[in-house]
Amino acid sequence: MPPLRMLYSRFTSCSGCQLTLLNCEGELATLAEAVEVAGFSMATSRCDDGGPVEIALVEGSISRTAELEELLGLRRRARYLVAVGACALTGGVNVLGEGDREVLIGQVYGPGLEGESFPPQPVSRFVRVDLELAGCPPEPGDYLRLLGSLARGGLPELPTYPVCMECRLRENLCLLSESRQPCLGPITRAGCNARCPALGVICEGCRGPAEEPNWSELAGLLRELGIGPREVRLRMARFVGKDHEDSLR
């Protein structure tokens, strides 16, 4: 079987998702035999030849015209385009900046970038996305399941149910109802094996919304804990992006 031709591109993000893949140290040798890397700036100095690829992994939100042009080109080249991580799926923490964007850009980067940047957007706002790897960053197993499935001819099926389901399976103490802590597990997409709650740390929602989340029910439970409406909204909005703003009002 010929190796899977893969390209990894990063847009507005912190590179943490790439690092997660590179940290799969025990599996990298096997992956190197199964995957041909067409481009991956953090992993190889090989120049991208611009040819077609089986899979394009896209990390980060889109916030510049140059990024958008590159993304459109990737979509044309890739059989499968996979959005990786919270920034690519919802805009992630990049959308949290409030106030005049030109002022924010000037404060962070200084003068010269005005007009080249627009509010961060998820990848799916511009192109068809074949699969989403949720998380900030995704779990290493998400990458391995994806590449393993593609090597066998298809895309993997990923969980859409909430983290609470995984907590139940692990028989964790419920941090929300029993410890009365502001855990976001009921509305957050599973796939992390309830990593944080299993350690006694509340879920912050980094994997984005589960399928059909009950925003209002959880908001009510958080307010019963004594958390004010504004903090409830900010806490629930951290990783959901602009598409779910109306649900949080």
Side-chain angles (χ1 to χ4, degrees):
M1 182 179 295
L4 195 69
R5 188 168 159 81
M6 181 194 83
L7 187 146
Y8 199 125
S9 287
R10 168 184 171 267
F11 296 113
T12 301
S13 66
C14 69
S15 299
C17 299
Q18 297 178 70
L19 281 175
T20 299
L21 176 54
L22 295 175
N23 284 338
C24 297
E25 295 173 351
E27 295 80 13
L28 286 182
T30 303
L31 286 177
E33 295 176 356
V35 173
E36 175 192 347
V37 178
F40 190 168
S41 60
M42 191 171 279
T44 177
S45 57
R46 176 185 297 176
C47 295
D48 178 11
D49 62 10
V53 295
E54 187 74 6
I55 175 174
L57 299 173
V58 177
E59 171 189 327
S61 56
I62 306 302
S63 65
R64 294 186 295 122
T65 51
E67 291 180 339
L68 177 55
E69 291 172 2
E70 184 179 344
L71 175 66
L72 295 174
L74 285 176
R75 182 62 276 185
R76 289 191 290 270
R77 295 171 57 190
R79 180 181 181 190
Y80 296 112
L81 188 145
V82 177
V84 176
C87 295
L89 270 59
T90 67
V93 297
N94 298 329
V95 303
L96 296 181
E98 295 182 342
D100 187 291
R101 182 163 179 79
E102 295 295 326
V103 173
L104 291 175
I105 292 173
Q107 290 173 340
V108 176
Y109 300 105
L113 283 180
E114 295 84 356
E116 295 184 7
S117 175
F118 52 83
Q121 306 287 321
V123 170
S124 61
R125 185 68 54 82
F126 304 105
V127 297
R128 175 173 55 84
V129 172
D130 298 298
L131 191 74
E132 295 181 338
L133 294 189
C136 183
E139 294 292 312
D142 291 336
Y143 282 112
L144 301 177
R145 276 188 290 276
L146 168 65
L147 296 175
S149 295
L150 282 177
R152 289 165 175 78
L155 292 169
E157 198 165 310
L158 300 176
T160 56
Y161 48 81
V163 170
C164 285
M165 294 285 288
E166 294 179 331
C167 250
R168 294 267 183 174
L169 291 173
R170 296 191 66 166
E171 299 183 349
N172 292 334
L173 176 75
C174 179
L175 298 177
L176 179 63
S177 63
E178 298 178 66
S179 292
R180 296 186 59 76
Q181 298 184 54
C183 183
L184 300 187
I187 60 169
T188 301
R189 188 188 319 204
C192 58
N193 199 22
R195 177 189 295 273
C196 296
L199 297 172
V201 178
I202 60 171
C203 174
E204 296 284 2
C206 76
R207 292 183 66 83
E211 193 172 63
E212 299 183 356
N214 192 334
W215 303 102
S216 59
E217 177 69 17
L218 181 61
L221 291 173
L222 296 183
R223 286 195 293 270
E224 288 178 8
L225 299 179
I227 301 175
R230 182 175 183 275
E231 185 177 346
V232 168
R233 183 182 66 80
L234 293 176
R235 180 175 289 275
M236 296 174 69
R238 188 175 304 162
F239 292 99
V240 303
K242 298 292 184 182
D243 291 345
H244 296 281
E245 273 191 340
D246 290 342
S247 305
L248 302 174
R249 296 184 191 285

